[in-house]
Amino acid sequence: MTPYSAPTTAIIIVAAGSGTRLGAGVPKALVDIDGRTVLRHALEGVFAAQPMQVILVAPSGYERAAADELEAVNRGHGRRTTVVVGGGTRQQSVAAGLAALGDGIEVVLVHDAARALTPSAQIDAVAAAVTADAGVIPALPVVDTLKRVEGDAVVEAVDRSVLAAAQTPQGFPRGPLEDAYARALETGEDHTDDAALFAAAGGGVRRIAGDERAFKITTPADLERARMLLHPPQPASPRPQGPRIGVGTDVHAFGGEGNLWLAGLEWPDEQPLSGHSDGDAVAHAMVDALLGAAGLGDIGEHFGTAHPEYAGAHADVFLARTARMLAEAGFAIGNVSVQFQGNRPRFSARRAEAEAALSQALGGASVSVSATTTDGLGFPGRGEGISVTAVALIMPAGPPR
């Protein structure tokens, strides 16, 4: 392998700063899309472009994870790479990246890691369009009708023909960009993107065509859009007639904070179960049984740690989403039978309440829950946790597709 020699272009990939977290989970750059993180996809796009120095601005506390992703993608390329820790705002994070530029760099691209699917051709096009006195941004035309509002009142229409939706990377000549950042530091100005900061210092900025795939992953819906683009749904294969049965199991240890959530109910003053969400092993086993019966994967695939939007969610969220997935796949739920093994909580007094809550979450499907002890045997008998088994019966809701 021959390392690339002294590129004159560098790209600063920003994975830190304000607005870089999705829900209650890890920084969104490290959220999983399809077995690879948002950051991994962004890096792969960068490394498919022309050789350039790569500076990765990582969130504080996640430098090692970000560096591991960068090292994995750089393997076989041998490019000059640097990882720095970002600041509390995007502008501070870019400034940290600028401070790490190597000698001989003439063109600087600034790229948001959250724009994970940006095509490498767009990165190359921006780099090629930068001149000694002007920056470049990729942008898309605005297609929605826009209104200027004051509170709830619509004041007037906005002419969208003079507007464009900015994307990244944004490219600039190095010297003027560094001067613009020094000016912003002196004045205390804070800008939403580098083009605005550059223009405020008197620099010219031109636009080139952007790409629809360079959208920014900001919400759970954006994550789903990225997953759909990477792996479009395949035509459904014929499914058998008649009922189908699925089995689900789940185990959670006692631990964590707050009250216990089990079988869709809160149990005050009971030790909680640990888990990514609320640790409700009954609901989780039900989800696995239903998904397995329909051939739709398992709970980890749809609700696991790669989906921070479900952190802390309760049974009604999981079960309602699962019921919708089954309905979309053409299945109706017949019934679900659940048994959990554990010495606590004392369940019989709240059985009817639990069954009603779980049934309601599934849209009225029949749910039965039973509980048993293990006569002191195993971890449930020792009071270390709870083990649950669920069996689900589903059936086609209509003619086979």
Side-chain angles (χ1 to χ4, degrees), residues 23 32 37 55 86 125 144 156 204 214 230 243-244 271 281-282 297 315 322 330 362 400:
D32 182 271
T37 63
I55 300 170
D144 293 321
E156 62 181 355
L230 290 167
R244 300 178 64 163
Q271 187 180 10
V282 168
T322 301
L362 289 178

Side-chain angles (χ1 to χ4, degrees), residues 268-334:
D269 303 321
E270 287 281 358
Q271 187 180 10
L273 294 164
S274 61
H276 169 56
S277 56
D278 61 357
D280 190 333
V282 168
H284 299 175
M286 290 174 62
V287 168
D288 261 341
L290 290 162
L291 292 175
L296 296 176
D298 58 33
I299 192 170
E301 178 181 348
H302 298 286
F303 303 102
T305 55
H307 298 268
E309 62 270 31
Y310 292 109
H314 295 309
D316 57 339
V317 174
F318 288 97
L319 293 172
R321 174 60 182 149
T322 301
R324 287 196 300 272
M325 292 170 62
L326 264 66
E328 291 165 2
F331 291 103
I333 301 172

